[in-house]
Amino acid sequence: MRTLSQNTALDRTEEPAATGPAGTAAPAAPPVIAVRDVRISDRVTDREIVHGVGFELTPGKAVGIVGESGSGKTLTCRAVLGILPPHFEVSGGSVEIGGTDIATLTPRRWTALRGTTVGAVFQDPASYLNPSIRVGAQIAEVIRVKKGVKRREARRQALGLLHAVRLRDPELVYGQYTYELSGGMLQRVLIAAAIAVEPRALIADEATTALDVTVQAEILDLLAELRERTGLALVVVSHDLAVVAQLCDEVLVMRRGEVVEQGPTRSVLHDPQHEYTRLLVAEHESYGLDKFLTPQDPEEAS
């Protein structure tokens, strides 16, 4: 696997594994994101749309959420990010980011949290980038504002990020506008912007859906490499089981607003218990899901 540039801020110094007294294993790292029995309601219709979703995301872990359109996948992610549409609300349960219940956050605290603790990449990158500003300048501005660095340093870091997401000519791309870039290039730019201030977690909501198979594979490989190198935690939302099989340790299968099956990706895909999960697996059999499954945990195999 190719590695990220050693010049980017993404390369975090690896520390020895922590141990407790007498060499015993230290307690597990606290979750970056903890979603507990979250329920989402539509205030206009007074109807509950998402029914009791829960998962925890620790450093370096990847959780996949799969299901049909309208199953509540994106609403769940938007609840985590605090950007639900105006007429929706979290009507039950809780979401904690970095140990803080997001219901207690002021707008200023939310602004500080987004990007630094949790970032996001969505399906249509052009919708999240300003077409009238050069893409490199947009990334540099995020770095300058969030990190408080000078413009020259922000530009240097932005170029490093464009290199890290495997754009062939970062200097050229830095000065281009969105209409000059392909869909795959725009998705890389959006990932660069999302990781610009080194968030602990990244939510990728259908981030590869509109891309061709080759570019999709490259983006998935990039996300896996970011996770391995930096300890980035991932939430991967997709209708494609092959995407989740390739990246994720745990999977939630959603249908009609509820989680119908949840567990280690390998176990769920090899031995699905719910009828809907079995249907999804059957639909993806031609992909050869086994070749995408993340390596088995040694403890799970024992």
Side-chain angles (χ1 to χ4, degrees):
M1 178 183 291
R2 291 170 291 178
T3 57
L4 296 178
S5 166
Q6 299 295 324
N7 298 321
T8 73
L10 295 172
D11 295 307
R12 300 175 186 166
T13 303
E14 294 185 5
E15 299 179 357
T19 57
T24 59
V32 182
I33 296 174
V35 178
R36 298 190 174 99
D37 194 31
V38 161
R39 299 172 183 275
I40 302 171
S41 297
D42 184 340
R43 289 196 298 266
V44 173
T45 62
D46 194 28
R47 186 166 62 95
E48 188 174 274
I49 307 298
V50 173
H51 320 294
V53 176
F55 63 89
E56 288 192 349
L57 194 68
T58 51
K61 182 178 179 180
V63 172
I65 306 177
V66 299
E68 61 198 358
S69 297
S71 62
K73 306 186 302 296
T74 293
L75 277 179
T76 299
C77 289
R78 288 187 173 274
V80 172
L81 293 166
I83 54 172
L84 281 170
H87 56 97
F88 289 96
E89 65 179 357
V90 175
S91 52
S94 66
V95 177
E96 292 183 2
I97 296 180
T100 301
D101 188 333
I102 66 171
T104 67
L105 293 175
T106 63
R108 178 176 291 184
R109 284 282 293 121
W110 252 126
T111 300
L113 201 66
R114 292 193 192 103
T116 56
T117 301
V118 60
V121 180
F122 296 99
Q123 180 175 349
D124 182 10
S127 299
Y128 297 90
L129 295 168
N130 191 325
S132 64
I133 301 175
R134 299 179 193 276
V135 295
Q138 295 184 58
I139 298 172
E141 183 66 8
V142 171
I143 295 168
R144 191 181 67 81
V145 171
K146 293 281 189 179
K147 290 187 173 182
V149 300
K150 300 290 186 181
R151 291 184 184 277
R152 180 175 293 182
E153 174 60 16
R155 184 181 190 278
R156 186 192 71 80
Q157 291 188 27
L159 284 168
L161 286 161
L162 292 174
H163 177 77
V165 296
R166 303 177 185 164
L167 286 161
R168 290 183 180 177
D169 191 340
E171 288 276 1
L172 175 63
V173 173
Y174 187 99
Q176 291 182 309
Y177 295 95
T178 56
Y179 69 86
E180 298 178 279
L181 303 177
S182 68
M185 294 173 76
L186 284 173
Q187 198 63 283
R188 286 176 169 83
V189 169
L190 195 60
I191 291 172
I195 63 175
V197 286
E198 303 172 57
R200 297 169 61 197
L202 182 69
I203 295 176
D205 187 354
E206 298 284 9
T208 62
T209 297
L211 306 177
D212 66 48
V213 175
T214 301
V215 176
Q216 181 185 76
E218 292 173 353
I219 296 295
L220 294 177
D221 187 35
L222 170 61
L223 291 174
E225 187 175 347
L226 286 169
R227 174 190 175 196
E228 179 181 349
R229 177 173 286 275
T230 70
L232 182 70
L234 292 172
V235 177
V236 180
V237 179
S238 182
H239 67 279
D240 189 339
L241 278 185
V243 169
V244 170
Q246 182 173 345
L247 278 178
C248 299
D249 310 297
E250 180 181 343
V251 61
L252 285 70
V253 182
M254 293 189 68
R255 190 184 192 198
R256 297 174 183 170
E258 66 179 340
V259 177
V260 297
E261 191 159 357
Q262 180 173 355
T265 305
R266 180 175 295 275
S267 298
V268 170
L269 298 189
H270 274 307
D271 187 22
Q273 300 299 302
H274 192 275
E275 180 182 359
Y276 179 63
T277 311
R278 290 196 291 270
L279 177 63
L280 287 180
V281 171
E283 288 177 348
H284 286 77
E285 279 182 348
S286 61
Y287 285 88
L289 289 177
D290 281 352
K291 69 182 179 183
F292 293 117
L293 286 170
T294 53
Q296 191 169 12
D297 189 317
E299 293 184 4
E300 183 184 333
S302 61

